[in-house]
Amino acid sequence: VRATGSCAYQLEIRGRFDEAAAMQADVELPPGTTWEAYFQARVLVNRWAVTADLAQLGSAAELMRGILGSEEPQLEAWTRDLLAEISLWAGDSSQAYDAAVAVPMEGRLPENRSWIIPTLAALRLRDSEKLNAALGDWGSDSPVGRRFEVIHLVHQAGRAALAGHDDDAVRLFSDALAASELADGVLWTAVLQTTYAELMPHHPEAQAAGREAYDWFTSVGANGYLDLFADVWPLVTESEAAAG
């Protein structure tokens, strides 16, 4: 299960959504297992990424709610993790935040999205209080690794941006994007670039990042993400038109 999930994740973060969905659909599991519902839901999320059909996300969320309460820690964590991700892609940042912070630590793996979703959701909401609480009780027991370095950088950049410290925010977002390319692949880097552009639409560096994200989403046919961030793209194009 973990091997299939990890391989499909590598396809997803490269924008190869159809291939990821095919791998998840073909995973061999005992009939009726609750893990089957999890992989069916991931297939639907990847279909949404291509088709932009929000009904796919709704069906995925329904599948996940149906298996909540598992006694298997990893399945319970992954189920709640996916519910948080679905809410983020559906444009409900408040629900995404609440769902992500509720994911139990037991059963989480480094590739789970609920590590970074609270920070991204808080930034989309421009909610300083939620952002300050987004890392929870990591403190001195903070997880280690490249993904967590990215989250810390995004968190610091967001705090600087919301406080109006633009120079610090631009520097920290630049560091976060460079680290994200190494740790998280193109998809999550593009999501971060778009969040950066949405948060600081007046800054040329942020707009350039947003345009790069738009170009990548377009190149891989990620229509779900193009629709999700539809309000950001005019900010990017208007900035380019003004510069021209």
Side-chain angles (χ1 to χ4, degrees):
V1 168
R2 181 176 180 182
T4 300
S6 295
C7 289
Y9 176 77
Q10 291 302 315
L11 293 171
E12 286 178 26
I13 63 176
R14 290 166 171 79
R16 295 161 62 180
F17 305 110
D18 287 333
E19 293 175 64
M23 176 176 289
Q24 290 154 343
D26 290 343
V27 63
E28 294 184 4
L29 294 165
T33 178
T34 46
W35 277 108
E36 184 178 25
Y38 174 84
F39 280 105
Q40 288 173 350
R42 286 236 62 97
V43 168
L44 292 170
V45 172
N46 277 307
R47 287 178 180 166
W48 160 82
V50 176
T51 66
D53 181 3
L54 289 173
Q56 304 279 5
L57 293 182
S59 297
E62 185 176 351
L63 281 170
M64 291 298 86
R65 287 191 291 268
I67 61 173
L68 278 174
S70 172
E71 295 181 0
E72 185 178 347
Q74 187 171 352
L75 178 58
E76 181 68 5
W78 284 27
T79 297
R80 292 184 177 277
D81 181 86
L82 183 49
L83 278 169
E85 183 183 347
I86 290 167
S87 294
L88 188 69
W89 301 152
D92 191 341
S93 295
S94 182
Q95 177 59 38
Y97 183 96
D98 292 342
V101 298
V103 175
M105 286 294 182
E106 185 180 9
R108 277 201 205 189
L109 295 175
E111 58 263 37
N112 286 143
R113 287 75 163 174
S114 50
W115 297 108
I116 194 169
I117 285 175
T119 296
L120 292 176
L123 291 178
R124 295 213 73 197
L125 292 166
R126 290 176 170 79
D127 189 322
S128 296
E129 185 176 346
K130 285 185 181 295
L131 182 62
N132 290 336
L135 300 188
D137 298 325
W138 286 15
S140 60
D141 295 326
S142 172
V144 296
R146 284 180 174 174
R147 284 195 177 97
F148 302 105
E149 292 174 12
V150 173
I151 296 170
H152 277 292
L153 286 167
V154 175
H155 188 263
Q156 293 169 27
R159 290 183 66 178
L162 292 178
H165 302 151
D166 285 9
D167 289 345
D168 289 339
V170 168
R171 173 179 55 81
L172 288 162
F173 268 119
S174 178
D175 291 345
L177 290 171
S180 179
E181 290 175 2
L182 295 174
D184 294 315
V186 189
L187 172 60
W188 285 93
T189 301
V191 171
L192 176 54
Q193 287 174 314
T194 310
T195 304
Y196 177 25
E198 183 178 36
L199 190 63
M200 302 182 68
H202 55 287
H203 230 283
E205 289 88 346
Q207 291 307 318
R211 181 68 203 194
E212 187 175 330
Y214 175 81
D215 289 344
W216 182 78
F217 284 132
T218 301
S219 72
V220 298
N223 296 303
Y225 295 94
L226 288 168
D227 278 10
L228 171 64
F229 298 117
D231 291 344
V232 180
W233 311 135
L235 302 176
V236 174
T237 55
E238 286 170 10
S239 174
E240 286 190 341

